[in-house]
Amino acid sequence: MAEPIKIAYLYEDLMNTYGDSGDVKILRFLLKQQGYDTTVTNVSLGDDFDANDYDFLFFGGGQDFEQTVVAKDLQRHRETIKDYIEAGKPMLCICGGYQFLGTYYKMSDGTVIKCLNILPLHTVFKADARMIGDTKFITQFGPAQAFENHSGRTYFDDQDKLKPFGTMIEGYGNNPDDHTEGMRYKNVIGSYSHGPLLKNLNIAEGIMKLIIQNHQERLAQRKEAVTA
């Protein structure tokens, strides 16, 4: 029996707003159509976690309180997530999950929350200027439509290393100034798109291909290790 594709949903019980879990459900459906079974593991507070045991990582968005709770637990997973990302393996991060990949986010009251400091980006909250509504943007996978609802404004600190996931047509995206949506680094995508994002099947199918490729490579590496 073929080994199923393994998905890790980071803090599913705390980071799941505006239909973000639908992204995982859509991927599971598409993978099933391609003949792949999947398992989804909720990696939550206090859980052990080795990212390289998985074929895909998903990190959704959360409310402010839940994000402060997650921030306290998340740091112990920094190295395994960083190694996974730098190895070019696929990951999708939505809203708060996207922000957590950066160096910090600064709350409206001036409180600075330490993030994973894996990628050179940061977020500043403007509670009196919430960015909410339907969005349209263009990605490498083609056009997309989604929904955004965030007070965080995200900025890249190294624009040579990080590239936007999309170019805005309607809506705000990362911030009111840059006309960009989300981030792409290697095979990691960060986005402010809820609704869920992967209702855009062109994007879902593009990510699915990355997952299948990673799955096949992981199984091949394990087979080589056994026969060596």
Side-chain angles (χ1 to χ4, degrees):
M1 184 176 179
E3 180 174 324
I5 285 176
K6 298 173 66 177
I7 297 173
Y9 192 144
L10 303 183
Y11 304 93
E12 177 182 9
D13 49 338
L14 296 168
M15 304 286 284
N16 177 24
T17 56
Y18 308 116
D20 290 344
S21 62
D23 287 320
V24 173
K25 293 175 182 177
I26 290 168
L27 285 171
R28 295 188 76 182
F29 175 78
L30 294 177
L31 287 163
K32 186 68 173 179
Q33 287 187 319
Q34 297 295 316
Y36 292 95
D37 290 329
T38 56
T39 62
V40 179
T41 301
N42 173 28
V43 180
S44 195
L45 303 177
D47 290 340
D48 293 330
F49 172 60
D50 184 347
N52 290 306
D53 289 340
Y54 294 90
D55 302 301
F56 178 65
L57 305 186
F58 180 78
F59 203 174
Q63 302 297 326
D64 289 351
F65 173 74
E66 284 78 7
Q67 284 193 223
T68 58
V69 172
V70 169
K72 296 176 183 178
D73 186 74
L74 183 61
Q75 289 296 329
R76 61 199 180 87
H77 299 314
R78 179 183 183 274
E79 292 306 315
T80 189
I81 294 173
K82 181 180 179 181
D83 290 346
Y84 179 96
I85 290 172
E86 292 297 339
K89 298 179 180 181
M91 181 176 187
L92 175 61
C93 303
I94 304 295
C95 201
Y98 166 32
Q99 296 165 356
F100 270 130
L101 293 182
T103 53
Y104 67 88
Y105 62 85
K106 187 176 183 180
M107 305 296 289
S108 299
D109 64 1
T111 302
V112 175
I113 305 298
K114 182 181 179 181
C115 296
L116 288 172
N117 193 22
I118 293 175
L119 297 179
L121 59 90
H122 70 275
T123 302
V124 178
F125 279 70
K126 298 285 187 180
D128 59 343
R130 195 162 190 86
M131 294 172 281
I132 182 170
D134 294 328
T135 61
K136 294 182 180 179
F137 50 96
I138 301 296
T139 76
Q140 69 181 93
F141 303 110
Q145 299 184 25
F147 172 78
E148 64 181 348
N149 185 358
H150 57 107
S151 296
R153 302 179 179 202
T154 295
Y155 299 91
F156 296 171
D157 299 313
D158 185 342
Q159 297 191 18
D160 292 326
K161 184 172 183 176
L162 304 182
K163 302 302 178 185
F165 174 54
T167 302
M168 297 304 298
I169 298 174
E170 295 181 14
Y172 296 97
N174 285 324
N175 57 67
D177 308 311
D178 295 344
H179 307 293
T180 60
E181 208 295 313
M183 172 278 309
R184 180 78 186 260
Y185 173 71
K186 295 190 176 182
N187 286 322
V188 177
I189 292 171
S191 176
Y192 274 111
S193 298
H194 299 288
L197 169 64
L198 298 188
K199 69 181 181 182
N200 298 282
L201 293 182
N202 52 336
I203 299 175
E205 290 170 353
I207 292 176
M208 178 184 67
K209 291 177 181 177
L210 296 174
I211 294 171
I212 292 173
Q213 178 181 348
N214 187 38
H215 177 67
Q216 293 172 340
E217 290 176 354
R218 184 173 67 85
L219 294 184
Q221 290 170 359
R222 192 170 67 185
K223 185 177 180 181
E224 289 177 4
V226 171
T227 57

